[in-house]
Structures are given as structure tokens and as C-alpha cells.
Amino acid sequence: MSSAGEAQPFTFEDLPVRDDRDAAWRLIRERGPIVQLEPDVALTDHALVEAAFRNPAVFSSRKAFDSLGSPLPLVPIAFDPPEHARYRHILQPFFSPRSIRPLEPKLRRQLAELIAPLPARGECDFVADVASVFPVQAFLTFFGLPMEMRDQFVAWKDAILALSDPSGAISGDEADLRHAGELFTYLSELVAARRGVPGPDVLSELLCLEGPNALTDAEVIGLCFLFVLAGLDTVTDALGFGMERLARNPDRRQEIIDDPALVPAAVEELLRLDPPAPFVPRITTAETELGGRTLPAGTRVTAYIAAVNRDEARYPDPYGVDFHRGDNPHASFGVGVHRCLGSHLARLEMRLVYEEWHRLIPHYDIAPGFSPAVKFPRGTVGLEALPLVLTPGAPR
């Protein structure tokens, strides 16, 4: 499938993500807009990703997720139109900004309680102390689950993520499978108990739907499973990378300290540079042509979103951190009909973290001698730890 003059194919593991992720995205972009990157065909060009992902009849999300072998319907991402359209129609109102906004005061209080004790310590691991914890608390709040389940959900989430490798193949050990089974049992019992019982949380509201919009137990459990699979670690990873970039770019950090109104723009720029799910796969359902290549049916095509977000034609100085880009149409939450359902909740979580952190701890640095350890190879990419030294300073 290589074209004349193209460098020899290399593999996913060859990307230097662990050492320098910006260098990794630059490396693959330099190889062209469509690259044979074993075992996939990699897309690095924004226009090609749009062309492919806006054609789900040929570039199937469902077939890409079939490889996970999930016994549950992973609603809605593991479905293509027309089934996908029904799920989006039902679910979109629950995940809209209007529905997410009322969570802000409660989530802000939770976050302040997490951050407030840290300055007295003088140091922290941002990933362990904040980024790994807060998204789980937001999930529990959104779905109306007891906060006492937080640490258990962290363990379940880690086990589920360990069950699949970047290609989608099932891996993991017996303990991971047992944890996944425990989560399934918990959710099954929870859905049965909540069915038809009114409540203010999204899970209760979903389980009270009637008529053509009613979801089966399996569909609701699959939605919850997908949220754990795709909605927790992704926010953790995005927050870890975002704080690392802020720590390494003190001028940009000072901008949001001086003007908190810049935080929403900062969220978009940090998401552009470090998308929470940088590898988004599709499987072709028929022979097709893309970017001058003929792709046989059954070809696994993966959008390398972090490379796509560095398309020089769309982003001046694409490797720089700039909170004044104005319109920032990055692809970090996907393109086309499968655009991330939970994007508004993720944006709220990130905005609150950057606002509350810099209100309470405006001055901090990466611990001396720290070299970032990036979790790779895997489907999501994030920091294993981010030790920070916290400098005393009056909170805003």
C-alpha cells in the first residue's frame, strides 16, 4: 500500500510518544497525510479525517469496536447510522450544555475540597491527587451514584482499560477480567433497582424514559460501561498534560492567572495539543479511495488526532501554546456523527480544574529532576505522574 518515494512503513510502537509526544506527532505528520503505520493506515490530515469520518457507511465505527468483543452494546459509539441516530436523539438532551450546567456549583465545591489541603503540603502529584480523582467524582455526581464508590470505580476503570491494547485486541489478566465482571454486576443491579424510579440524575431520568425512547437494561449498562471506558481516563490524561504545559509555559500560565476569562480558550488550546483520545479507529466496509490510495474493505484506518490538530494549514505555529487563537476548530472530540457525546461535561471539568487550581495555587513548578513518564503504547495517552512543587502565594 506504500506509494513511490514514501519511507518504509514503521509501527505504532516506533513513535517516540514516551520521550517527546510533540516530536512523535511531528514525525508522523512529516511522513504525509496518509501513512502506513503498522498495523493501521494512519490519517494525519484534517481534510482527510473529515472526508472519512463524515462517511460512516464506509468508515465504520461499529466494526472498529467489534474487535473489543464487548458483550454489552457500547452506546452510542459502537453503532453506525441509522441505529446511531436513534441513540444520539435520545441521549443528546441529557449531555447538552443546558443539562450539564447545573452540575457546576456542586462540582466546583468538590474540586475546591480536593485542592484546598495541598498548599500546606508544599508539593503534590497532580495526577494522583486531582486529575485521577475529580473525573470519577464528576461521573458519580452526573449518574447519581454514591461518592463512597469513588475508589472502587477507579479500580474498575483501570481494570477495564487494561483489557484492550491499542489495536483493540483483548488482553489483560484474570484479575482485570474479574474487576470488569464486578462492574457489570454492580451496574446490572443498579439499573434494575433504578428502573422507573424518578430522580434528578441522568441515570434515573434515562431509566424513566417510555415509548420509543425507552432504553433496555443492556443499553443503559452499555452506556455506563462506555462512560467508564472512555470518559474517565481521557479527562485525567487531558488534565495531566494540560497542567504540565502550563507549568512549562509560565507566560501562558500567568495569562490565565491575570485573566480567568481566558480559561475556556486555554481549555480548547490545551485539548488541541493533547487530545484525550489521540487514536480514533474506523474499519472500511467496502473498497474505497482516500488521499490517492485504494483501501480494501476491512482496512483499519486510524485518525491520529494529535497530528491532525497540528495541521499547519489550519493552525499557525501549530506546536506553540496560544490562548488567543480565536476560533479553534480542533478534532479532539472527534469529527462527524460520532463526535464525543460527553464533550460538554469534559470541558466543564477541565475549566473548573484550571479555574479553581489557579485561584487557590497560582504558583507552582514541576519538581526538579522530573522526567515525564507517558503511558504508551495504549489507546489513550497520559502522564503516569506529575509531581509539582507548590510555592506559597495568596489565592485569588
Side-chain angles (χ1 to χ4, degrees):
M1 209 177 295
S2 299
S3 58
E6 181 185 323
Q8 289 299 309
F10 61 119
T11 69
F12 182 81
E13 287 81 3
D14 289 332
L15 291 171
V17 175
R18 289 190 63 87
D19 301 319
D20 186 341
R21 58 191 185 277
D22 282 332
W25 312 137
R26 190 187 300 274
L27 172 65
I28 191 170
R29 274 198 60 78
E30 288 174 348
R31 296 181 76 96
I34 181 167
V35 182
Q36 186 66 41
L37 184 68
E38 303 296 344
D40 299 353
V41 172
L43 305 182
T44 71
D45 178 81
H46 209 294
L48 287 185
V49 170
E50 287 194 341
F53 282 40
R54 295 189 188 280
N55 185 8
V58 175
F59 294 87
S60 170
S61 181
R62 178 169 194 157
K63 285 187 174 293
F65 280 86
D66 280 349
S67 62
L68 289 176
S70 173
L72 293 167
L74 296 177
V75 176
I77 197 170
F79 291 85
D80 294 325
E83 294 92 346
H84 178 270
R86 171 181 176 262
Y87 289 127
R88 290 292 294 219
H89 174 75
I90 294 169
L91 296 171
Q92 193 67 53
F94 298 101
F95 291 83
S96 68
R98 182 178 179 180
S99 295
I100 298 297
R101 199 173 298 119
L103 297 174
E104 180 170 338
K106 183 180 291 188
L107 294 182
R108 191 182 291 277
R109 287 194 298 271
Q110 293 177 11
L111 188 56
E113 290 172 2
L114 280 177
I115 298 173
L118 300 179
R121 289 165 40 184
E123 61 183 12
C124 75
D125 176 354
F126 178 80
V127 171
D129 294 327
V130 179
S132 292
V133 178
F134 181 59
V136 178
Q137 293 191 179
F139 165 78
L140 296 174
T141 302
F142 186 53
F143 280 89
L145 304 181
M147 202 57 62
E148 295 75 20
M149 295 294 298
R150 187 189 72 187
D151 293 343
Q152 180 63 76
F153 265 89
V154 171
W156 283 338
K157 175 260 298 181
D158 291 342
I160 291 170
L161 290 171
L163 284 174
S164 61
D165 66 21
S167 72
I170 297 298
S171 59
D173 59 23
E174 189 173 329
D176 295 329
L177 290 168
R178 185 177 66 254
H179 282 303
E182 290 171 358
L183 175 58
F184 173 77
T185 299
Y186 173 81
L187 292 175
S188 298
E189 294 173 351
L190 178 72
V191 166
R194 292 274 191 93
R195 172 69 69 181
V197 180
D201 58 276
V202 69
L203 181 59
S204 297
E205 292 182 10
L206 284 171
L207 290 169
C208 285
L209 293 174
E210 298 178 344
N213 285 349
L215 297 174
T216 66
D217 285 3
E219 288 170 331
V220 176
I221 296 168
L223 172 65
C224 294
F225 229 93
L226 179 65
F227 216 97
V228 173
L229 179 69
L232 301 184
D233 232 38
T234 49
V235 179
T236 294
D237 294 342
L239 286 170
F241 280 146
M243 283 294 290
E244 183 205 19
R245 288 194 187 270
L246 288 168
R248 295 189 187 282
N249 291 271
D251 291 344
R252 302 290 78 74
R253 180 176 68 200
Q254 193 63 45
E255 286 182 343
I256 62 174
I257 292 171
D258 294 340
D259 183 8
L262 266 180
V263 169
V267 167
E268 299 306 313
E269 177 70 345
L270 296 171
L271 279 169
R272 180 187 72 83
L273 289 163
D274 292 295
F279 313 109
V280 182
R282 295 291 186 264
I283 302 290
T284 56
T285 61
E287 182 178 291
T288 189
E289 184 174 307
L290 184 69
R293 290 195 179 202
T294 298
L295 305 176
T299 300
R300 184 178 173 91
V301 178
T302 297
Y304 276 61
I305 299 297
V308 169
N309 284 345
R310 287 160 171 76
D311 188 334
E312 296 84 353
R314 288 179 176 250
Y315 309 103
D317 186 21
Y319 293 85
V321 183
D322 182 357
F323 297 158
H324 301 275
R325 291 185 184 274
D327 189 29
N328 196 342
H330 59 74
S332 295
F333 287 120
V335 174
V337 299
H338 289 97
R339 183 176 171 81
C340 176
L341 183 67
S343 62
H344 300 300
L345 180 58
R347 281 187 166 104
L348 173 62
E349 293 174 50
M350 294 184 69
R351 175 171 64 81
L352 291 179
V353 168
Y354 297 142
E355 287 176 353
E356 286 301 297
W357 179 276
H358 291 94
R359 180 179 71 83
L360 295 168
I361 310 177
H363 307 295
Y364 56 94
D365 293 288
I366 294 175
F370 171 70
S371 296
V374 177
K375 296 175 285 189
F376 187 79
R378 51 178 277 170
T380 58
V381 176
L383 295 176
E384 294 179 357
L386 181 61
L388 298 176
V389 176
L390 313 179
T391 304
R396 288 200 313 265

